[in-house]
Every structure is written in C-alpha cells, then in structure tokens.
Amino acid sequence: MNEIEHISGHTYHGRKGSIKNSFRYSVDYILFDPEGRPKTPFLFSVNKANITNWRDRDHGGDPGKGTGAAWLRKRFDELQFPQPARIVLLTQPRVLAHVFNPVSFWFCFDQNDSLYAVVAEVTNTYGTRHSYLCHKPDLSLIQPSDRIVAKKLMHVSPFQKIEGVYTFRFDYRLERVGVWIDYTRENGGLIATLTGPRNLLTNRTILWALVRRPFGARRVFALIVWQAAKLWFKNARFRPFRSEPVPSCPISRPREQ
C-alpha cells in the first residue's frame, strides 16, 4: 500500500437503555501504511507540517507522545503475539495542526496478507488512551461475520460506567471499510459504527472535505460536546472522570468466549 486513501464515511452512535439518544454524522478518515513512505498529495504530509497531515506521535502510547507503529510492534513482542507482515492504519488526520481521534484502528495482516488482528486505539476527551487487541483464538482470518468481545477497561463517555463489554466486528475489503462496536452493560450501552468507501486521497478530496466538513477533528470534538449537552438535558447521570480508575495496561486482549 503505497498511497494514502480517503474514507469519506459516516459514523452512527445509538444509546441503549432508558434514556435514548442517537446521531449520524459524516466524517473523514485516512487509510495507509504507517511504516511505509506513501505518495502524498501536495496538501497532505507525513510527519511534517501541512494543511492536513499525520504524525507518529499522535498514535501508540500517550496522545502527543506516541511512537506510531513501533509502539504496536513493541507491545506485540511483550505479549508474545505474532508480528504482522503489514500494518494499515485507519484514523482521522490532523487538520490545521489539530487532531483528536476517539478511536483509530490498526489492521494487522500476516504473511498471506490475511487480516488476523485489529487494534482498536481508544482515546477519550480527557487525554487518556487504551487499546484493545482483537483477534480470533486461532489467529485465523477475521471475517465480516466474526464478533470479537473485549472487556471495557477505560472511562470514555462521562455518561457510561467502566463495566460491560465491547463486541467488535470488522469488514475490510478493497472497495470499502466498516467497523461496528456494540457496547453492552447492565441496563444500557450503545451501538457505534464507522463505514465508508475507499478512494485515493487527492488535493481535490482534501479541499472538498474542508468545505463540507470544516475544521476536521475540531468539528468532531464540538459534536461530541453537543451530544453530551443533549444527554445532560435528558437527565442522564454524569460520572466525573476523577471518580473512575485508569487502566494500568496500555493494551488488552479479547475475552474468551
């Protein structure tokens, strides 16, 4: 994969439980090999300043202090987990020097170019990050119908407890990419999805995205705050971040079925 791809996608969130809330927004993601030297359009750079760009330090490790794919490979060694032959990252780019990614996905491929693992890198609005290593017990090809369950370990929404499980589903193909997350806890939870077609990132697509969805991650952050305000007015219980524990391990594996 020697090019940057643009995912002009949609994300949906639907809250489960007694207090209902749902929304569907258009979003812009990029898909590329973070260890390669991809061809980039004039308006996009890797590890350099530009109108839109991507930097290693935004991923792997604490936000702003990451080491990119090197972090993932180090964690795999610590877990004695097979190293990928190829890695592809799905994430939001920096726009005008700002970035915020509620969740990014590292797709890991084996020597046969089969998708055998996905790392869901979750970052909350408080600057805390935890990653969930998703794979099947036998490390076989992850199919769109497969469901991988992981215990929730980090405070994400101030309106949800640290309890319950995530059920992940991934659909990675040549023409599109899709991720579905079903968070389930006692008397509640939510459904979150991200889907979109794969197309080459060009100066034209960058400019069009800036016109249709200006400010990139700043817009995403503002929409998160707006949805939080709606839940507040619906009398959803607010749980301050300081009252919840922070996980000590930076990455966790699936829960056995």
Side-chain angles (χ1 to χ4, degrees):
M1 189 175 188
N2 197 36
E3 295 172 325
I4 307 283
E5 294 185 2
H6 175 221
I7 311 298
S8 180
H10 290 87
T11 182
Y12 168 82
H13 283 232
R15 180 184 171 94
K16 298 186 289 185
S18 57
I19 299 178
K20 306 293 184 182
N21 190 60
S22 64
F23 59 89
R24 185 175 187 266
Y25 294 134
S26 57
V27 290
D28 294 287
Y29 273 67
I30 53 173
L31 186 73
F32 74 109
D33 178 357
E35 296 179 302
R37 293 189 176 184
K39 299 176 182 178
T40 60
F42 180 75
L43 297 177
F44 184 92
S45 297
V46 174
N47 286 320
K48 292 190 299 183
N50 205 331
I51 292 175
T52 59
N53 67 335
W54 177 86
R55 293 185 182 273
D56 282 301
R57 68 174 186 242
D58 295 328
H59 299 275
D62 294 334
K65 302 177 182 178
T67 55
W71 174 90
L72 183 144
R73 292 193 179 277
K74 182 179 180 181
R75 295 287 86 79
F76 278 18
D77 281 343
E78 292 172 350
L79 295 170
Q80 298 183 331
F81 191 78
Q83 287 286 347
R86 182 169 69 97
I87 301 171
V88 176
L89 177 63
L90 176 66
T91 189
Q92 291 186 89
R94 282 175 168 258
V95 176
L96 302 176
H98 178 77
V99 67
F100 171 65
N101 273 289
V103 60
S104 299
F105 300 94
W106 303 82
F107 293 92
C108 301
F109 298 84
D110 63 18
Q111 296 290 343
N112 298 317
D113 212 34
S114 295
L115 179 65
Y116 76 101
V118 181
V119 175
E121 183 181 80
V122 181
T123 307
N124 62 28
T125 55
Y126 303 96
T128 303
R129 174 174 290 164
H130 185 78
S131 296
Y132 299 87
L133 173 55
C134 304
H135 62 86
K136 295 164 69 173
D138 60 357
L139 300 182
S140 59
L141 174 66
I142 296 177
Q143 303 277 6
S145 58
D146 291 325
R147 287 165 171 77
I148 300 170
V149 179
K151 182 180 179 181
K152 180 181 179 180
L153 293 175
M154 188 184 75
H155 181 113
V156 179
S157 167
F159 300 98
Q160 301 280 3
K161 296 179 180 179
I162 301 181
E163 64 178 31
V165 298
Y166 294 117
T167 300
F168 294 92
R169 189 162 67 86
F170 305 100
D171 185 6
Y172 186 99
R173 59 182 74 184
L174 289 176
E175 68 276 10
R176 67 185 297 274
V177 64
V179 178
W180 293 263
I181 305 173
D182 184 348
Y183 167 52
T184 303
R185 66 175 179 84
E186 185 178 0
N187 300 321
L190 63 85
I191 301 289
T193 70
L194 171 63
T195 59
R198 297 172 57 177
N199 293 292
L200 183 66
L201 182 71
T202 65
N203 291 321
R204 182 177 180 178
T205 59
I206 291 172
L207 290 172
W208 182 237
L210 290 175
V211 170
R212 292 190 61 197
R213 294 174 286 275
F215 307 115
R218 285 186 174 90
R219 169 181 170 271
V220 172
F221 187 86
L223 292 172
I224 289 173
V225 172
W226 167 241
Q227 294 300 327
K230 289 171 64 177
L231 287 171
W232 177 275
F233 285 113
K234 290 180 180 181
N235 293 319
R237 181 182 174 186
F238 184 86
R239 295 176 171 84
F241 177 68
R242 63 179 179 274
S243 68
E244 304 284 7
V246 177
S248 59
C249 56
I251 191 168
S252 56
R253 300 181 69 167
R255 192 183 72 170
E256 293 186 5
Q257 299 294 292

